[in-house]
Each structure stands twice: as structure tokens, then as C-alpha cells.
């Protein structure tokens, strides 16, 4: 089965929850996460990229779907 590459914007409470949930789903791979507060990326799981900006996340060819978990 082909994996879908996911990028997550925002790594606060909901970003963490989405990262945990998606990591355990078959056919899904969390490629990377961006956040405007770099300290929020300190506990991103090994093997997941940390982006300095959303533009960098959008430019990654491995990211096919973007989940926005930033505060509204």
C-alpha cells in the first residue's frame, strides 16, 4: 500500500494529538511539522522533519496533504 505523506502546521496541544493519531495509522506517514514557535518542535518524533516555516513545509515534495492544527 502506498503511504500518504502528511505535513502538520502547528504543534501545540492539537498538533501533538494529530501527530500521535496519524503516526499509528496504516498508510499514513507524518513527513514533517512546522510551528511559528520553534520551541514547540523540540519534542517532534524522530524521523519527522521540523520546518522553520509553512512555506518550507509546502515546498517539500514528500508532503501530499497538510493538516492545519494551529490556533484559530
Amino acid at each position: 500500500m502506498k503511504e500518504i505523506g502528511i505535513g502538520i502546521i502547528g504543534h501545540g496541544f492539537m498538533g501533538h494529538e494529530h501527530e500521535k493519531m496519524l503516526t499509528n495509522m496504516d498508510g499514513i506517514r507524518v513527513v514533517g511539522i512546522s510551528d511559528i514557535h520553534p520551541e514547540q518542535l523540540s519534542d517532534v518524533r524522530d524521523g519527522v522533519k521540523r520546518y522553520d516555516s509553512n512555506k518550507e513545509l509546502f515546498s517539500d515534495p514528500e508532503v501530499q496533504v497538510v493538516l492545519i492544527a494551529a490556533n484559530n
Side-chain angles (χ1 to χ4, degrees):
M1 174 187 351
K2 185 175 178 177
E3 288 184 324
I4 298 171
I6 305 282
I8 299 173
I9 294 176
H11 202 238
F13 176 77
M14 287 309 299
H16 281 84
E17 292 300 308
H18 287 298
E19 179 188 12
K20 283 188 275 186
M21 175 192 64
L22 292 169
T23 300
N24 293 316
M25 293 181 74
D26 291 336
I28 300 289
R29 181 171 65 93
V30 177
V31 174
I33 301 173
S34 68
D35 197 292
I36 60 171
H37 302 290
E39 66 275 6
Q40 289 289 84
L41 302 174
S42 65
D43 61 349
V44 170
R45 295 169 189 252
D46 290 338
V48 176
K49 299 175 188 177
R50 295 163 178 87
Y51 302 104
D52 293 329
S53 70
N54 295 339
K55 184 176 180 179
E56 190 178 352
L57 181 147
F58 290 132
S59 298
D60 189 329
E62 292 182 68
V63 175
Q64 297 166 300
V65 175
V66 175
L67 186 150
I68 301 174
N71 289 336
N72 53 7

